[in-house]
């Protein structure tokens, strides 16, 4: 039985105006259904878990929304960080809290803002990772690349082991030439930031590579169900090193031969922008228009391959336009070609510089 | 001193979603200022007139909006038609009401939904028309064509007379070949539907060519300031022939040599669609973007020659799009290329057929 941890952080400015500082990507219904990415992630891990074995780690700013979106997750399993201190602190805290309850539990960590359509295939892959995690490896799940993407880090496979491989190395986001090499080489997978391990094994590696972080999250976890939790958080949390879980634990552990990898046999999407969203979701008609489920209607006339988000309860009428992004929200509207979806980030910067913080 | 009549009718479905059945074109601020087309028209004729010599003829559905937009026009000068019966009835009624007050008054009729930027040049042209109208001609004002437009009727000039010409003939909207011929011939002007005449001369021609209509509007006008007005309207108005002023009076009068024309020495625009609006209004930046004054803001980034109407109090952000129309209203949004502006009419038809009468 898996203890599933869902770190729910990040903003997603390329998904403005739907995503805002107060309404980050993981809270948005970008799944082709009414579920948010967070809700879909929790639904997915529930195939391998029990409701009281699901944990979410999120920031104070989003605790209320997370609680409301996930009424079935026990309150004590929603770990609220007083301030963001990167993924090592968030994931280590969850591991320590789980270890208090079940010292050799197998834990998986799955980001809240990724989209996986086939939950069954996802579960089968995680089960393979659990099998290897039980033997004492820190497991990661690698995605079979669909192309030489430079937006992801890569995992270089080593020797086969059980249903997976040793992980030879984590590889940073490559340039285009290297990405093409990796994909044609065949022994590289995308690093999707999914981890599976026994909490005792993980905490042992954490103690070895980041002892201060280890001691702090252990102290916090030991006081979890006591009245000292808040005071300890106030005292310890601001002192924690801001570092990613990859740098803090996974890379040094990989160098020591302690990390394995299972290839992910499922569609996996980091829905980073509206163009990607349009590629991932099913078209609503035969000419490739994707209408993201919202509160409004869309009327498309002689219009092809557009991504339309009618999220302001209004009619969005598009006539004679192709390959366009149209995102309608109550206080801001975006119109932009799909091939410039990445640049939406720059608009958000412009708004910040113009002091329109009400809109970002 | 001119008695100025402003027929305020027509809908303007190519200007959807700004224009609606209940909010026709002439009520909209499409002038580059906060004024509606109606308000700008009345401001323009006021250069030649007195406040109590300005008349508006409009439908019952728009009487309240007209009254509110034009607080300086006396209530008795706003002629409210119980139902639309085309331009002959509307303009003839105004002529008859004016004749009751001043039997040989010179009256001008100027549509509420045309845009003229240079009010001074307009006034000078109308003064020339008044000079010829005083001699007993029914005058029309012809616009110097800026190109072979097939969307207007044309006026064929005859012999010079005073500061103008005899009108040889009204010519229907031409095909492209004929339009090119007209413009190169040099003796054709656009018919802008502007008329100037002595009311006694006009009513005489009306009596000759449409005696029933003449008698009805005379009867209504005679009872204008009495308590019989409403009953007479209910009795007579529904019986009136639905016919344009051109067919009813101007064409037969022209055939009888009674019509003159003065060339209009001013910019004149029938703002029929958003592309035309973008051509007519001054761009807001050096790359040709026209932002129609509304209640919201626009943020344009690497975007050229767009026509943007932020009329819903929201931010309209456009990134990397050119030659696009973006119209944002509280319950509907339109996105459409400028070169397909004419087809917006078809969207309104689609909405009607889909029973979305709330949006049309």
């Amino acid at each position: 039985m898996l203890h599933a941890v869902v770190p729910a952080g990040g903003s997603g400015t390329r998904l403005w105006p739907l995503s805002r500082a107060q309404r980050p990507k993981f809270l948005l219904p970008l799944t082709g259904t009414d579920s948010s990415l967070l809700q879909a992630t929790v639904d997915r891990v529930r195939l391998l878990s029990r409701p009281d074995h699901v944990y979410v780690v999120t920031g104070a700013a989003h605790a209320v929304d997370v609680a409301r979106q996930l009424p079935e997750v026990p309150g004590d399993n929603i770990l609220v960080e007083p301030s963001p201190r990167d993924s090592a602190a968030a994931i280590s805290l969850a591991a320590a809290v789980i270890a208090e309850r079940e010292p050799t539990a197998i834990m998986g960590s799955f980001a809240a803002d990724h989209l996986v359509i086939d939950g069954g295939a996802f579960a089968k892959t995680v089960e393979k990772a659990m099998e290897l995690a039980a033997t004492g490896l820190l497991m990661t799940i690698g995605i079979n690349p669909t192309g030489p993407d430079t937006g992801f880090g890569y995992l270089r496979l080593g020797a086969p082991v059980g249903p997976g491989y040793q992980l030879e190395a984590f590889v940073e986001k490559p340039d285009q030439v290297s990405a093409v090499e990796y994909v044609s080489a065949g022994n590289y997978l995308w690093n999707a930031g999914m981890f599976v391990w026994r909490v005792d094994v993980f905490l042992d590696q954490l103690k070895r590579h980041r002892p201060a972080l280890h001691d702090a999250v252990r102290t916090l976890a030991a006081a979890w169900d006591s009245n000292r939790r808040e005071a300890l958080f106030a005292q310890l949390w601001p002192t924690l090193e801001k570092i990613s879980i990859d740098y803090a634990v996974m890379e040094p552990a990989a160098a020591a031969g302690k990390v394995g990898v299972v290839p992910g046999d499922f569609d996996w999407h980091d829905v980073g922008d509206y163009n990607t969203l349009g590629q991932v979701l099913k078209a609503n008609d035969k000419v490739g228009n994707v209408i993201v489920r919202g509160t409004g209607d869309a009327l498309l006339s002689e219009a092809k391959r557009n991504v339309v988000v009618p999220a302001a309860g209004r009619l969005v009428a598009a006539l004679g336009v192709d390959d366009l992004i149209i995102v309608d929200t109550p206080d801001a509207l975006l119109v932009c070609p799909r091939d410039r979806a990445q640049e939406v980030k720059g608009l958000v910067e412009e708004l910040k510089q113009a002091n329109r913080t009400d809109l970002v």
Side-chain angles (χ1 to χ4, degrees), chain A:
Chain A
M1 185 64 73
L2 186 73
H3 288 64
V5 174
V6 177
S11 58
T13 52
R14 286 170 300 165
L15 289 165
W16 184 89
L18 214 49
S19 103
R20 307 285 175 100
Q22 269 303 318
R23 198 173 60 217
K25 190 170 125 184
F26 60 82
L27 293 172
L28 302 175
L30 302 176
T31 59
T33 72
D34 290 334
S35 293
S36 70
L37 287 166
L38 172 66
Q39 289 171 318
T41 302
V42 168
D43 284 349
R44 200 157 59 239
V45 300
R46 284 280 303 279
L47 295 173
L48 298 153
S49 202
R50 300 192 328 213
D52 63 333
H53 282 186
V54 174
Y55 296 78
V56 180
V57 190
T58 195
H62 309 305
V64 170
D65 287 323
V66 168
R68 298 252 163 94
Q69 284 203 1
L70 302 172
E72 74 281 16
V73 172
D76 271 348
N77 288 18
I78 299 178
L79 316 188
V80 181
E81 306 171 290
S83 61
R85 303 213 67 85
D86 215 330
S87 58
I91 292 173
S92 299
L93 176 66
V97 168
I98 292 167
E100 283 293 320
R101 301 181 183 176
E102 192 176 323
T104 61
I106 292 182
M107 155 185 165
S109 175
F110 311 98
D113 57 0
H114 294 162
L115 185 61
V116 172
I117 306 290
D118 185 350
F122 166 82
K124 278 185 195 152
T125 303
V126 175
E127 279 170 351
K128 290 181 194 166
M130 291 169 71
E131 186 186 325
L132 284 166
T135 71
L137 283 171
L138 302 185
M139 296 303 299
T140 181
I141 292 172
I143 304 296
N144 288 310
T146 55
D149 204 301
T150 59
F152 305 121
Y154 284 70
L155 306 169
R156 186 161 71 238
L157 305 186
V161 46
Y165 301 85
Q166 282 285 139
L167 181 75
E168 201 169 284
F170 286 92
V171 181
E172 300 273 337
K173 291 178 187 176
D175 57 22
Q176 189 66 34
V177 173
S178 304
V180 171
E181 271 176 31
Y182 297 167
V183 171
S184 61
N187 60 331
Y188 286 80
L189 302 177
W190 286 339
N191 180 3
M194 299 187 203
F195 307 112
V196 180
W197 50 55
R198 268 192 3 232
V199 287
D200 57 330
V201 175
F202 170 78
L203 289 167
D204 189 55
Q205 288 294 316
L206 181 65
K207 186 172 188 174
R208 188 177 308 259
H209 301 295
R210 284 293 183 282
L213 186 54
H214 170 270
D215 293 350
V217 298
R218 287 291 220 176
T219 305
L220 282 167
W224 199 253
D225 297 318
S226 81
N227 55 12
R228 293 181 299 125
R229 192 209 292 190
E230 198 175 352
L232 280 171
F233 250 117
Q235 179 196 328
L236 294 176
W237 198 257
T239 71
L240 299 186
E241 186 181 8
K242 274 191 174 179
I243 187 173
S244 76
I245 189 77
D246 297 69
Y247 285 132
V249 178
M250 298 308 286
E251 294 190 8
K258 299 282 186 191
V259 179
V261 57
V262 167
D265 206 15
F266 51 84
D267 268 7
W268 167 88
H269 308 279
D270 178 20
V271 188
D273 59 70
Y274 289 113
N275 185 40
T276 309
L277 186 67
Q279 288 162 355
V280 169
L281 298 184
K282 224 175 126 186
N284 292 62
D285 54 34
K286 289 179 178 170
V287 290
N289 291 300
V290 173
I291 301 164
V292 178
R293 209 179 286 199
T295 54
D297 290 330
L299 172 63
L300 303 182
S301 183
E302 301 186 34
K304 295 191 287 291
R305 299 176 306 274
N306 299 284
V307 179
V308 179
V309 188
R314 310 184 309 153
L315 177 77
V316 176
L319 164 67
V321 291
D322 299 333
D323 302 296
L324 217 55
I325 294 162
I326 304 174
V327 183
D328 189 34
T329 75
D331 61 354
L333 162 71
L334 170 71
V335 180
C336 161
R338 286 183 66 166
D339 61 10
R340 302 190 70 164
Q342 298 279 344
E343 298 170 49
V344 171
K345 199 177 183 130
L347 276 186
V348 176
E349 272 314 307
E350 277 189 60
L351 285 171
K352 278 184 193 161
Q353 276 161 32
N355 275 321
R356 294 301 306 266
T357 45
D358 56 314
L359 291 174
V360 300

